Amino acid sequence: MTRPRRTLAASAASIPSAACVHIAIALCTHPASAAPPPPASAAPTTAPAPSTTAPAPSTPAPAPSTPAAPTDPEPRTIDVHVIGTNPDALQKIPGSGQLIPAKDIARAQPYDISELLRRVPGLVVRQDQGAGNRLDISVRGLDGTRSRRVLVLEDGVPVANNPYGEPDLYYSPPFERVRGVEIVKGSGSILFGPQTIGGVVQLLTHAPPDARRAYLWMNAGSPGQFELLGRYGDAFGDVRYLAQIFGKRGDGARGERYWATDAFAKLALPLSERGELTAKVGYHEESATTTDLGLTRAMFASDPRRPTLSPFDESRVRRIDGSLTHKLRITPDVDLTTIAYLTSTTRLWRRQDYDRTPQQGVTYERIAGDLTEPNGALYFRDTTSIRDRAYSVFGIEPRLTARFTTGRTAHTLEAGARFLTETASRALRSGESLLSEAGESRTVEDGGTTAFAAYVQDRIAFTDHLLVTPGFRFEYASSKRTIRRAVVAGTPRDVTIEGTSSVVAPIPGIGIVAGTPRLHGFAGIHLGFAPPRLTTSIREDGVDEQLDPERAIHYEAGLRARPFRFLRAEATFFLSNFENQIVPVVRDDSTTTDLDNAGRTRHIGAEAAVRAELGRAFSLPLSLDLSASYTALSAKFVFGPNEGNTLPYAPEHTASVVLDTEHPIGLGAQVSWTFISSQFADPENSTESDPTGRKGLLDPYQILDLSLRYTHAPTGLGGALAVKNALDEIYIVSRRPDGIFPAGFRQIIASVRWTYDEPPRTH
């Protein structure tokens, strides 16, 4: 029988929303609930998503994790997403996009989210401290500090403290919540904002199941790692729910102890024949030995494994979040999805005070380092600085999707608006002992931003093989900063200083896809947008600096190919021109790495990703999947005193290779290798380290992870053994904020799990 020809236009008509928008992803079950996959000969006709790594961008869509039984249902969800799961979803993306489905997460057995993201081409991810509270995502050479140059979402909700005024990630969703990840770096990101200079990373949490599902997981390993997790979900008629809770602790490779408790729940219920509501609540609390102080040059040379210099530094984070997502099918061709959310984040960070040169009249608690070398030692005071901060965010966003035709042209129109208000409270206190959390008040201030955004995007199918997607976003934000206590002439005093600032930004973009689902080219251009931080746009004296938002023009062009069912590949060329990029700068008179205006910069490079399902290609009785990605990057200053230099923390080469195999009996194994080439730590491109360790070259490093897993499908019992950083080679992962931070410590983790899946009920 002749198979009907599949075209891009026909594929477009089968997808209910525009590229890079909220098609519901159906990545079901926790990854660990997956049973052994069927033999390659039994593979479904629709090509599944890549596994074991961030998939090659050419992958049409993620598949659900392998079911525990042939009748295992795929849970429905109306969460807001940025790509979608229709088999042709990625074929509509006019730029680079990646999907990490549940199966990939299960096979990777990650310790944290960074393990998954560092396999995505174009991303460099640092997470070197426990509890997952320091996730630094760099996209194509952008500064990755606290992931402030990328928009991170959890089920459509911004994760940053304050998305506009302080877009830092002091909390990152734990991977235990996550069933899938979407990454968009192309023009589709204009549907989201702010902070889309680098793109959008969307973390998708587990969805309520259609039948009873229970999951227990326990793992233990080095150093002092222990975790216990439970998840349960069920359905009563059309009402579905899910609840999960876990607790974990660890001693940290360098004595940086941590613990975390996390819980979240979802409830999905129909409100009518055409409408459904999903409610979600979450709670997260963690405490970790966390410091901005790294090793000096001499310390790292003598003992790169030495424990943290600041064992009394502690960060405690608490986050409460809630959201309501409602979808109304107005007509078969018109949908309205509305999301409302509220988040509250508090952070108390106690840090021991120190000097790099001894101060007259000060008695020090201890001294570490080389006293004979200028700036080679650290002088620790018996006092602390206590940074006490609280943030809240409320937002509501309706989004309309309409499918229609004009003549012989098909349209998928997306239009929406978002209202967001955020507040921040910041206080700095001086404690008179190492464990003090009270202290004398030094500075107190409040701030907030009210923002409005509107956007529209139309995916237009002119012919069977040509899609054009123009879009436009408008951003307006008004901020206010009120300083209530400040240091005046060296003495803390009560003051009342107020200042306001506003920013307006039009953000256009357009993309094109031409070809067939098996081979097509894509290209796009869009404007990236990041508003100035509240504390930099309004000075301490209340004066509006009238700063422009950070802008960049992004260009992308590439090819996606699927010549065989077992082979997918993508190659993307990108160019980004920044008007005034913010980069980390090391100042000799400061104990931290500051952020500064770098002027114009240019990022140019290419990404490639390929996935080969060798088990399917050679009709093997098991799955054997090979995934690889590579990024070549040149990120340079094009104006100013550092013209021609490479931007800090912008490696020229990154690569990732993952080989995964799984036999139908339930036995699987994975080998993952990541390579990062050398990086400069300062705009001057210093090659030799200074005594403080803040300047100098970061040598290339590689990461090798190994894992072995087994699942007994009849009972749902399974176990795994993972070796992270198997080479145990210590390298410098960062020289910021203040000194050398080593990484690469070997970690061995063993886990056991039990999954129960009830067949879906018939009504």
Side-chain angles (χ1 to χ4, degrees):
M1 181 177 68
T2 302
R3 180 173 297 176
R5 187 170 57 126
R6 187 71 163 166
T7 66
L8 285 171
S11 300
S14 68
I15 300 180
S17 61
C20 299
V21 296
H22 56 73
I23 305 174
I25 269 196
L27 299 172
C28 69
T29 77
H30 186 282
S33 67
S41 60
T45 301
T46 300
S51 60
T52 73
T53 74
S58 58
T59 306
S65 55
T66 306
T71 58
D72 186 28
E74 183 174 280
R76 295 159 285 147
T77 174
I78 59 168
D79 292 339
V80 176
H81 298 287
V82 299
I83 294 180
T85 56
N86 184 286
D88 297 321
L90 273 170
Q91 296 171 2
K92 309 301 166 295
I93 303 298
S96 178
Q98 286 80 35
L99 300 166
I100 307 177
K103 184 174 67 173
D104 290 20
I105 301 173
R107 292 179 169 185
Q109 301 176 54
Y111 175 73
D112 53 39
I113 289 292
S114 67
E115 286 190 41
L116 301 173
L117 296 180
R118 73 187 182 209
R119 301 176 180 186
V120 176
L123 268 59
V124 177
V125 187
R126 168 202 173 198
Q127 187 154 285
D128 63 290
Q129 299 193 13
N133 63 347
R134 276 200 161 184
L135 182 62
D136 294 349
I137 305 173
S138 172
V139 181
R140 294 173 175 173
L142 293 173
D143 172 41
T145 304
R146 306 294 189 273
S147 305
R148 59 171 63 103
R149 284 295 169 263
V150 59
L151 177 64
V152 180
L153 304 172
E154 180 185 277
D155 294 335
V157 177
V159 176
N161 298 334
N162 277 174
Y164 286 86
E166 193 168 338
D168 306 82
L169 259 64
Y170 283 100
Y171 157 83
S172 65
F175 89 90
E176 291 89 346
R177 285 192 182 193
V178 177
R179 77 175 193 271
V181 185
E182 301 169 303
I183 302 99
V184 171
K185 292 169 281 185
S187 61
S189 62
I190 68 169
L191 290 175
F192 305 88
Q195 311 302 339
T196 54
I197 286 288
V200 182
V201 175
Q202 164 86 311
L203 306 175
L204 313 173
T205 62
H206 299 289
D210 291 317
R212 183 175 298 140
R213 179 169 296 160
Y215 179 74
L216 293 175
W217 179 45
M218 181 180 70
N219 74 58
S222 59
Q225 161 82 10
F226 180 79
E227 181 172 0
L228 183 63
L229 178 147
R231 181 167 61 249
Y232 182 83
D234 201 352
F236 293 98
D238 290 331
V239 177
R240 296 167 289 123
Y241 68 89
L242 175 141
Q244 173 181 290
I245 186 170
F246 75 81
K248 64 180 178 181
R249 67 164 307 278
D251 293 336
R254 300 178 57 227
E256 295 170 321
R257 296 180 176 86
Y258 66 89
W259 62 262
T261 300
D262 184 276
F264 86 99
K266 279 185 175 180
L267 177 69
L269 66 158
L271 300 181
S272 68
E273 292 183 356
R274 296 184 300 170
E276 184 176 3
L277 178 71
T278 295
K280 172 188 168 187
V281 294
Y283 175 84
H284 181 90
E285 185 172 7
E286 66 183 38
S287 176
T289 302
T290 303
T291 181
D292 272 355
L293 177 61
L295 303 178
T296 66
R297 178 181 63 189
M299 291 175 183
F300 182 78
S302 63
D303 183 11
R305 299 176 183 268
R306 83 179 278 161
T308 177
L309 296 173
S310 303
F312 302 105
D313 288 9
E314 181 184 21
S315 173
R316 293 205 300 272
V317 176
R318 178 179 297 166
R319 181 179 174 94
I320 301 172
D321 62 88
S323 65
L324 295 172
T325 305
H326 178 258
K327 183 171 184 178
L328 177 64
R329 291 172 289 279
I330 301 174
T331 72
D333 293 321
V334 179
D335 300 326
L336 176 64
T337 301
T338 303
I339 181 171
Y341 49 86
L342 177 66
T343 67
S344 174
T345 307
T346 60
R347 190 204 73 186
L348 182 71
W349 194 354
R350 183 186 67 229
R351 290 156 52 173
Q352 185 175 6
D353 298 323
Y354 62 91
D355 300 312
R356 288 199 174 272
T357 56
Q359 303 298 305
Q360 190 173 12
V362 177
T363 301
Y364 291 100
E365 180 258 336
R366 58 192 166 93
I367 302 173
D370 187 353
L371 300 177
T372 64
E373 184 177 34
N375 291 321
L378 294 162
Y379 301 80
F380 291 90
R381 302 189 179 204
D382 192 17
T383 60
T384 57
S385 293
I386 303 148
R387 292 161 172 81
D388 193 354
R389 299 184 178 182
Y391 307 92
S392 67
V393 178
F394 169 77
I396 183 168
E397 180 174 355
R399 181 174 299 197
L400 187 73
T401 303
R403 294 161 295 281
F404 59 93
T405 59
T406 56
R408 302 187 56 156
T409 302
H411 299 259
T412 303
L413 181 71
E414 288 282 336
R418 187 198 60 209
F419 170 80
L420 184 145
T421 180
E422 61 186 28
T423 63
S425 175
R426 306 176 184 87
L428 176 63
R429 301 190 295 272
S430 296
E432 296 181 356
S433 68
L434 296 181
L435 301 179
S436 172
E437 293 183 359
E440 177 190 5
S441 176
R442 295 187 61 81
T443 64
V444 176
E445 66 174 83
D446 300 319
T449 299
T450 299
F452 173 79
Y455 51 86
V456 61
Q457 179 174 278
D458 187 12
R459 188 178 66 241
I460 308 170
F462 287 103
T463 71
D464 288 347
H465 306 295
L466 177 63
L467 302 177
V468 178
T469 309
F472 182 82
R473 184 180 186 89
F474 171 82
E475 286 272 4
Y476 169 78
S478 176
S479 301
K480 181 178 181 180
R481 184 183 185 188
T482 303
I483 300 174
R484 307 189 185 279
R485 188 170 176 84
V487 178
V488 181
T491 303
R493 296 183 181 277
D494 291 338
V495 297
T496 301
I497 303 174
E498 294 184 348
T500 59
S501 179
S502 62
V503 61
V504 176
I507 308 168
I510 188 170
I512 184 172
V513 180
T516 68
R518 283 201 166 192
L519 176 63
H520 57 271
F522 59 87
I525 177 173
H526 73 283
L527 184 69
F529 165 74
R533 297 170 64 88
L534 177 64
T535 52
T536 56
S537 61
I538 303 173
R539 293 190 329 210
E540 292 184 353
D541 58 4
V543 174
D544 181 2
E545 292 278 18
Q546 297 184 343
L547 298 178
D548 291 329
E550 190 173 356
R551 299 177 186 270
I553 301 178
H554 300 284
Y555 305 86
E556 279 192 327
L559 286 172
R560 293 191 188 96
R562 189 175 51 144
F564 309 102
R565 290 176 57 197
F566 59 84
L567 181 65
R568 304 172 188 87
E570 179 186 281
T572 306
F573 169 82
F574 59 87
L575 169 64
S576 298
N577 289 319
F578 286 82
E579 294 180 6
N580 186 29
Q581 188 179 154
I582 307 298
V583 300
V585 176
V586 178
R587 305 190 193 282
D588 294 334
D589 58 349
S590 174
T591 58
T592 61
T593 300
D594 301 322
L595 297 176
D596 201 2
N597 296 324
R600 295 200 301 270
T601 65
R602 178 177 295 121
H603 300 236
I604 187 170
E607 300 169 352
V610 64
R611 171 179 167 77
E613 297 177 343
L614 303 178
R616 173 181 291 187
F618 297 104
S619 299
L620 302 177
L622 49 76
S623 69
L624 182 62
D625 301 329
L626 176 66
S627 299
S629 66
Y630 170 73
T631 303
L633 169 71
S634 173
K636 303 285 187 180
F637 295 95
V638 296
F639 182 77
N642 298 309
E643 182 177 355
N645 286 358
T646 298
L647 269 71
Y649 298 96
E652 293 185 356
H653 306 280
T654 59
S656 176
V657 178
V658 178
L659 180 65
D660 187 276
T661 183
E662 190 162 86
H663 193 276
I665 65 171
L667 185 64
Q670 182 177 117
V671 178
S672 170
W673 175 79
T674 301
F675 171 78
I676 308 293
S677 68
S678 59
Q679 306 167 64
F680 293 105
D682 55 86
E684 295 77 22
N685 287 183
S686 306
T687 56
E688 297 296 327
S689 175
D690 71 333
T692 69
R694 294 181 296 169
K695 294 184 177 181
L697 195 68
L698 281 73
D699 291 330
Y701 63 87
Q702 55 186 333
I703 303 170
L704 180 66
D705 294 338
L706 310 172
S707 64
L708 185 68
R709 61 187 184 271
Y710 175 73
T711 300
H712 184 247
T715 62
L717 292 172
L721 179 67
V723 181
K724 307 297 182 182
N725 294 299
L727 300 176
D728 199 31
E729 294 181 351
I730 308 303
Y731 56 86
I732 300 175
V733 71
S734 179
R735 295 180 180 271
R736 62 183 178 190
D738 194 19
I740 295 172
F741 286 85
F745 302 91
R746 182 186 294 134
Q747 185 179 22
I748 301 175
I749 303 173
S751 63
V752 294
R753 64 181 182 271
W754 173 74
T755 303
Y756 171 77
D757 283 304
E758 181 180 88
R761 304 178 182 92
T762 58
H763 304 288

